[in-house]
Amino acid sequence: MSSAKIETIERFILENQPQSAQGDFTHLLYDIALAAKLIAHKMKRAGLGEILGQAGNVNVQGEEQQKLDIYADELLFQLNDHTGRLCALASEEREEMMEIPRPYQKGTYVLVYDPLDGSSNIDVNVSIGTIFGIYRYVDWETRGSLKDVLQRPRDLVAAGYILYGSSTMFVYSTGDGVHGFTLEPDVGEFLLSHPHMRFPSPPVYYSTNESYYEEWTPEAQEFYHWLQGRDAARDREYRPRLSSRYIGSLVADFHRNLLRGGIFMYPAEKSKPDGKIRLLYEAGPLAYLAEQAGGYASDGAKPIMDIKPTDLHQRVPCYIGNRSLVEKAELFLRGE
Ligand code: AHM
Ligand code: MG
């Protein structure tokens, strides 16, 4: 008698990592998956704080109510600061990079993360996400330095996100395709549900905050017209029929487009020439996943994968999704 093989994330990571990468790297991914489960658990009770707690944002255990993004940030640090696997961490929530506190040993990997992305959606019960990227150290002489952290997305050895939506999903890549796992809440395990994810073609969605239209360059506006099917002259070329979807949580917008096909764009603006999306914690890891899923990410002129950050919180214009659409964006932005 045979039964369907149930693949937990632990088993999948173990079976799919080369022998050489097992050990620290494998356990680092487990630790991130553990953080994901704890954040998902906490999130399920979000909103109940005020009902269960007392005045002054104090919960029933007498603990101060914490904002979810701060909770997620501290949790990711605490689960990883003492394991001997990392030499540096950087979080979107913190001004400076973080060294490994003494007396813990330092390790060979670097973790960059946005603990809870989609801040405008946190308090209104709309999907949000965690984004992470893992690099190898660059400079062994120090206990972690900016050189270790400020690397190109192309140098990532793994990246992924956790989507807290109608179910919790863990999606990651170590350079061998993109694989998605869904949390089975009763047993607390991520189970393989979406092996080898690829952007489907033809794409069906474009996702952007068009309220910034007047702030965009004429070239970006033209591209937006093309996405909408308003550009009659250029419609001679093939253009898929696209529909609009925008959540305002990058992980959720990216994930939907990965499953259905589409493009997310956050262009440069007159008053924000680098747009809004952060290179290190948002665009970089998602660019890595996009390429692994047959897609592409560009700042409008060049691959985001090749941009070396010079600053921890650097922003970058972001066009990401099906390769055909992102390359079309580059054509428009070049004025062609
Ligand atoms: P955050 O890091 O403050 O959460 O901002 C990033 C988020 C992304 O998730 C999302 O794509 C974008 O901001 C939405 O911005 P806007 O509200 O300008 O459309
Ligand atoms: Mg963010």
Side-chain angles (χ1 to χ4, degrees), residues 92 114-119 129 131 250 276 278 281-282:
E92 202 206 85
D114 184 350
L116 265 198
D117 182 60
S119 46
I131 308 173
L250 182 55
K276 178 183 185 190
R278 315 254 186 170
Y281 320 101
E282 297 169 340

Side-chain angles (χ1 to χ4, degrees), residues 92 114 116-120 209 212 246 248-251 253 264 266 272 276-278 282:
E92 202 206 85
D114 184 350
L116 265 198
D117 182 60
S119 46
S120 67
N209 188 338
Y212 303 123
Y246 188 71
S249 285
L250 182 55
V251 170
D253 279 310
F264 168 94
Y266 209 112
K272 289 191 282 177
K276 178 183 185 190
I277 305 299
R278 315 254 186 170
E282 297 169 340

